[in-house]
Amino acid sequence: MADRDPAQLPQHLAIVMDGNGRWAMRRGKPRTYGHQSGSEALKRTIEAVMRRGIPILTVFAFSCENWNRPRAEVRKLLDLFLKALNKDVQELHEHGVRINFIGDRSVFNRTLREGMAQAEQLTCSNTRLQLNVAVNYSGRSDIVQAAQRIAAAAATGTLAAEDLSEEHLNQELTLAHLPPPDLFIRTGGEKRLSNFLLWQIAYTELYFSDVLWPDFGAEALEQALIDFSGRERRFGGLSQVRSA
Ligand code: FPP
């Protein structure tokens, strides 16, 4: 397919990878089998995102609410993260991917925490793709933590309450150093945000796909990009036709 105008390509893509469990159950397999296939879909998608020249990808791998799942499923998900850290990070590094984990990692065991820190350190100079993996992440918690830091600054007199701006709050959030997502994709047919990047997606284009995550790949991504390239982004303003 011919390359489109890069201005019509999202610079930051955010994905909620949903549908692993249903994908597995439709095949008479345990939900964990779906997560295994989901991690392969993630690898395919990372490759496709790099081929399309999208510089930032943020994926929701594990939400704070996912702890409520059966223990065996949670254990499998954490095993998959560890396996990915041991096996896939080197390859991602060789392809120029910079990896960053967002979310509260303090709850994970030491092996996982160290694996995450090593992956971040190893890849910190890469520039081809910035990959943010949200683990034990909650958009609301991110905002609350930002508010706590701001309240502390106000309490010590470093910041006057009336000087607090959107820019200021934004600076305290996890992805402050990156532009907000241009496109949000959720697979699996559900149409909700599920506490992902709540502040950052204020003007993001939303795309919901019925494809279950393990079936997602270059072709499904292309469909989303075609849809995005036809969107008119007004950021609260008027369209060119209506303002003429
Ligand atoms: C949602 O599907 C998916 C998850 C809770 C986990 C996403 C994890 C991966 C894709 C695995 C690999 C990730 C890394 C970083 C190695 P679901 O279980 O909610 O599916 P359902 O809606 O059909 O039940």
Side-chain angles (χ1 to χ4, degrees), residues 17-23 31 35 38-39 42 60-61 66 69 73 77 80-81 84 133 213:
M17 310 180 284
D18 195 16
N20 293 348
R22 278 167 287 160
W23 185 90
R31 294 173 54 82
H35 295 314
S39 69
L42 176 56
F60 207 178
N66 287 151
R69 296 187 175 208
E73 184 173 342
L77 276 168
L80 277 173
F81 298 153
V133 182
W213 177 251

Side-chain angles (χ1 to χ4, degrees), residues 23-97:
W23 185 90
M25 282 160 76
R26 281 179 198 176
R27 284 160 179 77
K29 306 265 192 194
R31 294 173 54 82
T32 50
Y33 178 73
H35 295 314
Q36 171 70 50
S37 301
S39 69
E40 280 146 31
L42 176 56
K43 274 192 250 166
R44 286 198 304 274
T45 303
I46 292 171
E47 278 167 28
V49 161
M50 284 199 283
R51 273 201 304 277
R52 295 301 282 114
I54 297 169
I56 309 168
L57 172 65
T58 303
V59 294
F60 207 178
F62 193 87
S63 73
C64 295
E65 293 74 27
N66 287 151
W67 293 108
N68 298 326
R69 296 187 175 208
R71 270 177 72 147
E73 184 173 342
V74 171
R75 198 170 320 118
K76 173 70 182 182
L77 276 168
L78 300 184
D79 278 357
L80 277 173
F81 298 153
L82 195 58
K83 216 190 276 173
L85 288 170
N86 292 333
K87 200 165 85 49
D88 300 323
V89 164
Q90 184 59 36
E91 194 182 336
L92 292 171
H93 175 51
E94 283 159 19
H95 285 90
V97 179

Side-chain angles (χ1 to χ4, degrees), residues 1-10 52 182-183 205 207 221-233:
M1 173 172 292
D3 274 351
R4 286 182 291 274
D5 177 359
Q8 299 284 12
L9 199 65
R52 295 301 282 114
D182 302 295
L183 175 62
E205 296 296 324
Y207 179 86
L221 175 69
E222 209 51 48
Q223 285 304 314
L225 295 179
I226 289 169
D227 188 276
F228 175 80
S229 68
R231 305 268 181 109
E232 188 196 8
R233 304 192 72 197

Side-chain angles (χ1 to χ4, degrees), residues 101-119:
F101 293 92
I102 61 171
D104 177 11
R105 60 180 92 178
S106 66
V107 292
F108 295 122
N109 68 34
R110 196 167 145 193
T111 317
L112 256 182
R113 290 201 314 271
E114 285 180 359
M116 289 177 192
Q118 279 163 13

